[in-house]
Amino acid sequence: MAAEAGPRVVVIGAGIVGCALADELTARGVRDVTVLDRGPLFAGPGSSYHAPGLVFATSPSRVLSMFARYTIEKYRSLGCFAPVGGLEIATTEERAADLRRRAGLAASWGIAAETVTARRCAELWPPLDSALLLGGLHTPDDGLADAALACRKQAESALRRGAAFHGHHTVTAVERGPGGVTGVVTDRGSFPADVVVSAAGSWGPVIGAMAGVTVPLQPLAHQYARTAPLPWLASGARLPILRHQDRDLYVRQHGDRLGIGSYAHRPMPVDPFDLTASELPFSTEEFVPSWRDAALLVPALADSSVEHGFDGVFSFTPDGMPLIGEVADVPGLWLAEAVWLTHSAGVARAVAEWLAEGRPSIDVHACDVNRFHDVQLSPRYIAERGAQNFVEVYDVIHPLQPMERPRPLRTSPFHPRHLELGAYHLESGGWERPHWFEANAPLADALAPGAAPARDPWAARHWSPIVAAEALATRERVALFDMTPLTRLDVRGPGALAFLRRLTTGRVDRGVGAVVYALLLDHAGGIRSDITVARLGDDHWQIGCNGPLDLHWLRRHLPEDGSVAVTDITAGTCCVGVWGPESFALVQPLADIDVSYAAFRYFTARRVHIGHVPVTALRVSYVGESGWELYTTADLGPRLWDTLWEAGRRHGVIAAGRGAFDSLRLEKGYRAWGTDMTTEHDPYEAGLAFAVRREEGTGEGFIGGRALSHPRALSRPRWRALSQRSGAAVERRLACLTLDDPAAIVLGNEPVYAGGPGRAATSPVGYVTSAGYGYTVGRAIAYAWLPADLAVPGTGVHIAYFGEKVPATVRAEPLLDPEMARIRR
């Protein structure tokens, strides 16, 4: 929404997020901003006014780290931030290793951090019993924010630019018209609005309910206690924030007292509809174990006591990420919810950019309120996942670790067959996804020495050498992959062709039976998603995409004349990938048409019967082997699987899981959207220029096309103008690396340093996106964003993995079969 349009914006909640948002909006020229709060201004009942004030920037999530970095920068400039630093300590070997990993994350995201010895921990925090410590992680730029002061200062800036703030205004209704929200009703009057932003914190679900929207947020209480005065702090000591994550504790200084927060207690969910204030009475008995652990770590606490405590309420979501953006089904209703103080200013900036300028300057898809599937919005799901995220706040979480409950939730029609084969399931989007099959263990036992190098304890989690056996069997024979969790959309209608030409970068105007790999771009040319588009009829297409955000983006741009319908058909259909050199020998005897390559070429689609099962077959492959994606209705899924399985026995068919799939696609250089590329990247940087059609004339053609075709100054920092005529004019590229040591492995998000052996630089030049082991090429593979002058085949770099710099080399891609001979056989 352009600032010149003068939208009337009403922000619900004058806590840290609402005040920051008013400041960021008015700074961008949005002047008609009204902020409402149920309590007194700058002293309300929300969590902002009892928050302990901790701001830690390092996170496995890049976007959260970027939010925190901006929050530190802004609040420091406002004089309401004390950069006392942060200290995370380790009392177990697992935690010590994790702190080395976190140091790598910090380096990847541009955050100052260093691992330190137990002795150095005691120097930074003298009251510690250093005998308990194995080491720590020191982050000197982290610190303490005065949330109340930050609220006031940002509100004052917004007021000077024309914003209005009203305390003691309880919202009673969100008004809606045919085109979306029209205003907010309070107990003291109504406020017309073009945009309503809910920044109500724990009361977010209450505001959502007023607009008929589910806000997937669960408030939970968290214990915080202040000690009595401590004489040894009276000398003016300035201690860093301390986190003792092995005991779910954090400690900060309040003058001559300490504040101790605990996540060690049982989850204490709170009903937002019954909540009147976010500071609840202290659960004294629950805190006893935490006090004991704190006194063990800080022996001087043995002679002290808790002077004051409370149970503070704050918000958790099913995946632990904030909820931001415009609600897809209610135009004009925006959320800025489940935002902790740590990320407050960063989130406010992103939402303000989105509203005033049309897009955030960093990728926020992991926080987009529309990211959840409908099945993830049930009250029980939100409550269970929220409670589990509370329990795991300080746990060492592996990137592949699935949530424990509720499972299984979504299963494909092949799920019973997977269980018979001993599937090891992980979970994503509610789907049970086989990662490997124990039935293939004999294949793993027969692998040649070194084919599946042993892994360190971290890399070995959620992994088995069976993954190697399944990958190699796919390359050598044929495998069945369950591709059902891939989101499938049906697009049809007389306006569908023009619609898809406008929304995608691909040549979707090809004849019936054509399949196109294409991109969805935003208006600045950033990659929103990558998709496959199969033309099944004159006015009928099937799209394979990355999830709900793609569905909402397409529906947002539907023509108003009703000439196009977009339907999510995922739940009623299923898909099996049949890939490998024996795929033709397996499928041809079952098919009622000629499926040879000459008759059924790569990137085409045809209707076919496989045995008794009607199938839509797409000759595409994301593992670099010939074969098909075979789609049918969910009721016929078991019959399709059984038909392929029985016929495949003579060809050595196996079921293969996601572990093998990821290894195979890395060898072929296929990108994963959301990991390898996002809206922060354009097709040329990401190596996807082939997916962008050339337009005739001067029109934009497709959304984002003008940004690619003309020099532009993007809001993203350090970006230079690109030209469609010269894809070489990029400053960074997604590069393919292989590790020099055949037994080494990295997993993703590690920092990359310039320089070959003996010449590694001290500051990272990029970071790893996807990574895994290529069992065909016999090397670990890592894709990484690097400066263009380093993304040259043969360039030596280092990747930091748990504190060790591992040599790697930039390689030409794809590593496997650049002539595409394997796919065309």
Side-chain angles (χ1 to χ4, degrees):
M1 183 177 295
E4 305 87 82
R8 298 167 297 176
V9 179
V10 173
V11 179
I12 302 173
I16 191 67
V17 179
C19 291
L21 180 57
D23 184 27
E24 296 286 342
L25 281 170
T26 55
R28 287 167 175 78
V30 181
R31 296 293 188 242
D32 193 347
V33 176
T34 301
V35 183
L36 307 173
D37 199 278
R38 63 186 296 174
L41 292 177
F42 319 128
S47 60
S48 298
Y49 300 100
H50 67 65
L54 282 63
V55 181
F56 279 99
T58 303
S59 167
S61 165
R62 180 177 180 274
V63 67
L64 291 186
S65 291
M66 297 300 101
F67 286 160
R69 284 182 57 188
Y70 181 74
T71 299
I72 290 171
E73 174 188 326
K74 182 176 186 182
Y75 294 168
R76 195 166 185 171
S77 70
L78 293 176
C80 49
F81 182 82
V84 298
L87 179 63
E88 302 175 50
I89 58 170
T91 59
T92 65
E93 292 291 349
E94 181 187 36
R95 183 69 60 181
D98 190 59
L99 294 185
R100 293 193 292 272
R101 181 179 72 97
R102 287 176 60 78
L105 291 171
S108 291
W109 314 145
I111 299 164
E114 64 171 342
T115 53
V116 293
T117 64
R119 180 176 178 179
R120 178 58 178 154
C121 289
E123 292 173 353
L124 291 165
W125 231 90
L128 286 174
D129 182 355
S130 61
L132 298 177
L133 308 183
L134 299 178
L137 177 69
H138 182 221
T139 46
D141 295 333
D142 290 340
L144 298 168
D146 185 331
L149 182 60
C151 286
R152 183 178 295 277
K153 288 201 170 189
Q154 292 176 105
E156 289 171 350
S157 294
L159 286 164
R160 286 193 294 270
R161 302 187 193 105
F165 282 71
H166 299 283
H168 299 293
H169 278 61
T170 299
V171 174
T172 59
V174 175
E175 296 184 309
R176 294 175 56 178
V181 299
T182 59
V184 172
V185 180
T186 77
D187 58 354
R188 296 193 175 193
S190 298
F191 296 82
D194 305 301
V195 173
V196 174
V197 184
S198 177
S202 296
W203 292 277
V206 178
I207 302 301
M210 295 178 187
V213 170
T214 297
V215 175
L217 174 162
Q218 175 61 59
L220 288 111
H222 155 66
Q223 293 195 298
Y224 191 73
R226 291 196 190 194
T227 68
L230 300 167
W232 41 274
L233 284 177
S235 61
R238 195 174 190 228
L239 299 176
I241 307 163
L242 179 69
R243 288 204 284 185
H244 183 18
Q245 291 146 309
D246 289 325
R247 288 293 181 269
D248 295 309
L249 293 175
Y250 63 84
V251 184
R252 63 148 293 183
Q253 184 179 357
H254 293 279
D256 63 351
R257 293 167 170 80
L258 291 179
I260 303 170
S262 172
Y263 295 98
H265 54 83
R266 62 182 173 83
M268 296 187 287
V270 177
D271 186 343
F273 292 88
D274 294 334
L275 188 65
T276 57
S278 60
E279 188 171 324
L280 304 180
F282 190 53
S283 304
T284 305
E285 292 302 316
E286 293 278 353
F287 195 71
V288 170
S290 295
W291 178 261
R292 188 182 306 119
D293 288 334
L296 183 65
L297 182 68
V298 184
L301 287 177
D303 297 327
S304 185
S305 61
V306 173
E307 184 177 75
H308 171 70
F310 63 91
D311 293 352
V313 180
F314 60 141
S315 305
F316 287 81
T317 60
D319 59 5
M321 299 294 286
L323 303 169
I324 67 175
E326 186 176 20
V327 176
D329 297 331
V330 186
L333 179 63
W334 289 65
L335 300 186
E337 298 288 11
V339 181
W340 294 6
L341 171 64
T342 299
H343 312 116
S344 55
V347 165
R349 180 178 70 165
V351 174
E353 290 173 336
W354 212 340
L355 274 165
E357 300 163 12
R359 64 187 303 278
S361 59
I362 62 174
D363 175 67
V364 297
H365 80 274
C367 309
D368 193 311
V369 65
N370 302 303
R371 66 189 181 270
F372 295 107
H373 298 270
D374 288 345
V375 73
Q376 296 173 292
L377 297 177
S378 72
R380 290 189 64 179
Y381 185 95
I382 295 166
E384 288 185 25
R385 291 278 168 128
Q388 185 67 19
N389 277 308
F390 176 91
V391 170
E392 295 178 349
V393 162
Y394 280 168
D395 287 0
V396 177
I397 302 295
H398 192 277
L400 294 177
Q401 181 174 323
M403 296 289 280
E404 296 177 0
R405 298 185 305 275
R407 292 183 62 193
L409 186 61
R410 306 177 79 184
T411 58
S412 83
F414 316 131
H415 186 67
R417 306 298 186 262
H418 295 163
L419 294 179
E420 293 169 2
L421 295 170
Y424 180 86
H425 285 101
L426 298 180
E427 182 265 354
S428 178
W431 286 102
E432 295 295 316
R433 304 179 76 170
H435 216 58
W436 70 80
F437 294 87
E438 288 296 330
N440 296 323
L443 299 178
D445 294 339
L447 289 173
R455 295 190 171 202
D456 64 85
W458 182 254
R461 294 188 188 184
H462 307 294
W463 175 85
S464 166
I466 295 172
V467 170
E470 292 177 0
L472 293 172
T474 306
R475 292 271 185 247
E476 296 163 1
R477 298 190 302 279
V478 62
L480 306 184
F481 291 81
D482 183 2
M483 303 300 292
T484 301
L486 173 72
T487 298
R488 291 172 290 287
L489 306 179
D490 183 271
V491 180
R492 63 178 75 202
L497 176 58
F499 171 72
L500 291 174
R501 280 185 56 83
R502 172 68 174 160
L503 268 292
T504 78
T505 64
R507 289 288 306 277
V508 294
D509 54 353
R510 293 174 178 172
V512 174
V515 180
V516 176
Y517 175 80
L519 305 173
L520 302 178
L521 304 182
D522 64 20
H523 289 277
I527 302 172
R528 284 190 55 94
S529 189
D530 66 336
I531 62 176
T532 54
V533 185
R535 190 170 193 176
L536 304 182
D538 288 340
D539 297 325
H540 183 201
W541 282 260
Q542 178 176 301
I543 293 178
C545 62
N546 287 297
L549 294 182
D550 294 344
L551 173 62
H552 296 313
W553 178 256
L554 294 175
R555 285 181 171 170
R556 174 181 169 184
H557 291 88
L558 282 172
E560 295 182 0
D561 61 6
S563 62
V564 183
V566 177
T567 306
D568 186 347
I569 61 172
T570 309
T573 57
C574 59
C575 176
V576 57
V578 185
W579 290 309
E582 292 290 308
S583 60
F584 171 78
L586 167 57
V587 172
Q588 181 61 86
L590 304 173
D592 62 348
I593 64 171
D594 183 359
V595 297
S596 66
Y597 184 78
F600 195 159
R601 300 184 69 82
Y602 189 52
F603 262 73
T604 58
R606 299 189 66 182
R607 307 283 193 179
V608 57
H609 285 85
I610 302 297
H612 295 91
V613 180
V615 164
T616 298
L618 274 60
R619 187 137 200 173
V620 296
S621 171
Y622 290 93
V623 300
E625 296 294 330
S626 62
W628 299 265
E629 289 179 355
L630 303 179
Y631 296 88
T632 192
T633 53
D635 60 320
L636 291 171
R639 184 61 177 264
L640 175 61
W641 181 278
D642 291 345
T643 300
L644 293 166
W645 188 257
E646 290 303 318
R649 289 182 184 274
R650 69 177 62 93
H651 303 289
V653 72
I654 66 162
R658 192 71 187 186
F661 180 91
D662 284 336
S663 170
L664 297 166
R665 70 100 180 165
L666 283 169
E667 291 182 326
K668 192 59 181 172
Y670 293 137
R671 277 69 167 136
W673 182 82
T675 302
D676 296 320
M677 72 273 193
T678 68
T679 56
E680 295 185 34
H681 313 107
D682 70 40
Y684 303 113
E685 296 174 317
L688 297 176
F690 69 89
V692 179
R693 71 178 187 262
R694 299 299 179 100
E695 290 294 335
E696 301 294 335
T698 59
E700 183 179 30
F702 52 86
I703 291 174
R706 182 173 292 114
L708 297 182
S709 302
H710 299 86
R712 71 213 190 273
L714 294 181
S715 58
R716 294 176 285 234
R718 298 185 302 279
W719 277 41
R720 195 170 76 193
L722 306 179
S723 167
Q724 186 174 10
R725 296 179 297 277
S726 177
V730 297
E731 293 185 341
R732 60 181 178 177
R733 290 187 182 278
L734 185 64
C736 176
L737 315 176
T738 59
L739 274 59
D740 295 352
D741 181 352
I745 187 75
V746 297
L747 297 183
N749 288 345
E750 296 89 355
V752 181
Y753 296 81
R759 297 189 295 110
T762 57
S763 297
V765 294
Y767 62 92
V768 174
T769 57
S770 295
Y773 201 87
Y775 297 102
T776 313
V777 301
R779 285 286 191 282
I781 304 166
Y783 274 79
W785 283 102
L786 296 178
D789 60 344
L790 294 178
V792 177
T795 302
V797 296
H798 280 77
I799 301 173
Y801 182 70
F802 284 85
E804 299 293 329
K805 288 184 177 176
V806 182
T809 303
V810 179
R811 302 294 184 189
E813 58 169 336
L815 296 171
L816 184 81
D817 190 28
E819 298 82 15
M820 301 286 285
R822 300 177 74 95
I823 285 178
R824 294 189 173 101
R825 61 188 175 188

